[in-house]
Amino acid sequence: MHSSSRMVMAALAAGVLTLAGCGGGGDSEGSGSGPGGMAVPKIDKMASLGAGEGTVNVVSWAGYVEDGTTDKAVDWVTGFEKETGCQVNNKVAGTSDEMVALMKTGEYDVVSASGDASLRLIYGGDVAPVNTDLLTNYKDVFEGLKNKTWNSVDGQAYGAPHGRGANLLMYRTDVVKPAPTSWSVVFDPASPYKGKITAYDSPIYIADAALYLMKTKPELNIKNPYALDDTQFQAAVDLLKQQNEVIGEYWSDYTKEVQAFKAGNSVLGTTWQVIANLTKADKAPVEVVLPSEGATGWSDTWMVSAKAKHPNCAYLWMNHIISPEANAGVAEWFGEAPSNKLSCGKTKDPQHCTTFHAEDEAYFDQVWYWTTPLAQCVDGRTDVTCKDYAAWTQAWTTVKG
């Protein structure tokens, strides 16, 4: 990993990341039931692009809006400001909950929402449907990121895809033998690595247990790890409570996971490719695998506020950040697969897209991107009620004890 990634790693040290989201195309009508049984509010999408208003107020994850302040060589903001006249005011958010709260104030125009936030924003009426015809770079976004359950409703896009990654299994090669191929090693109550197993500290991690059960307990009939009825949800929570007995620590701050694996305090657990790269750069003997059951993962969505005071600048920003050059810059700086297929020819490291599987749809076919759990099951079932994100949040506190 480059020193630039090391610097952004330090900037990300407050447990910042809970990612996923993206885009599609269609009409402004919304339907379906969200949190609390709400229908999607009817909000008109932008019909045509006008002149920039001179300012755009952004909420983003650390490392997504770089203007050369962190590193002089890392800047995809200054050129945008000169080209469009839109001055970028960026507010870095530490969590998805903070992003949702900030967007509800109406003071921000655009947000880099995660999949555990995006549907909350859509059903809450906080973001507007996006007219992808006004984003000239949208056509070059990988098809595998458009019109997904976490970033669209009834075929209508609610954002522009940013980047993606899988939640992988990392292990110390000098300790964990044989090399693991299944998530079973992190759920084994008799694990020889008890006390040195780590897991992601977020309610959305319940989906990791659900995915494992989906593959190993077919009688539960789980079709989507984000759509869990009472019985399925209880099975996932019970598995996580069992796993808690072998967990050494949960991580959300990825600098701490790097240090834990380097020191040998953690030898096995969930991770991201960028963390593995940084851990290897610190000379720790680690490898990662996408286990046989598949994995959860994340993809980001740039979404525009329903109350945007600077909607033209918001659209100009969304189009810019998914442009080949800017998207390559962010993907490389942050450590993720870009969403624009043309970005792979623009990265400084010619192997970047290979490392992050950017063009490998067969790889990402095994990834279940983070999606906000709703009471109306996101797998399409209508005969049962599923557990919503509030229930996941409550259950997560009981898992950790």
Side-chain angles (χ1 to χ4, degrees), residues 161-230:
H162 171 94
R164 56 180 167 173
N167 296 318
L168 302 168
L169 176 60
M170 182 159 70
Y171 60 98
R172 288 266 309 210
T173 57
D174 58 338
V175 177
V176 180
K177 296 176 181 179
T181 58
S182 165
W183 286 114
S184 60
V185 292
V186 302
F187 292 116
D188 179 6
S191 174
Y193 313 112
K194 181 177 181 177
K196 294 192 173 185
I197 294 172
T198 189
Y200 187 55
D201 189 0
S202 169
I204 208 72
Y205 182 67
I206 293 170
D208 290 57
L211 175 62
Y212 179 67
L213 292 171
M214 185 166 88
K215 301 296 185 179
T216 57
K217 293 273 183 78
E219 63 272 20
L220 286 168
N221 209 28
I222 297 172
K223 302 298 186 191
N224 181 316
Y226 305 101
L228 305 175
D229 61 31
D230 288 344

Side-chain angles (χ1 to χ4, degrees), residues 109-191:
D109 302 304
V110 67
V111 60
S112 63
S114 315
D116 61 340
S118 51
L119 290 182
R120 283 189 275 168
L121 291 168
I122 293 170
Y123 284 102
D126 302 305
V127 293
V130 167
N131 184 347
T132 56
D133 291 341
L134 304 180
L135 304 175
T136 56
N137 290 308
Y138 188 80
K139 66 184 184 302
D140 298 316
V141 168
F142 288 109
E143 291 301 318
L145 290 174
K146 297 176 179 177
N147 269 326
K148 299 301 177 183
T149 52
W150 65 88
N151 62 35
S152 67
V153 176
D154 295 339
Q156 169 57 53
Y158 275 82
H162 171 94
R164 56 180 167 173
N167 296 318
L168 302 168
L169 176 60
M170 182 159 70
Y171 60 98
R172 288 266 309 210
T173 57
D174 58 338
V175 177
V176 180
K177 296 176 181 179
T181 58
S182 165
W183 286 114
S184 60
V185 292
V186 302
F187 292 116
D188 179 6
S191 174

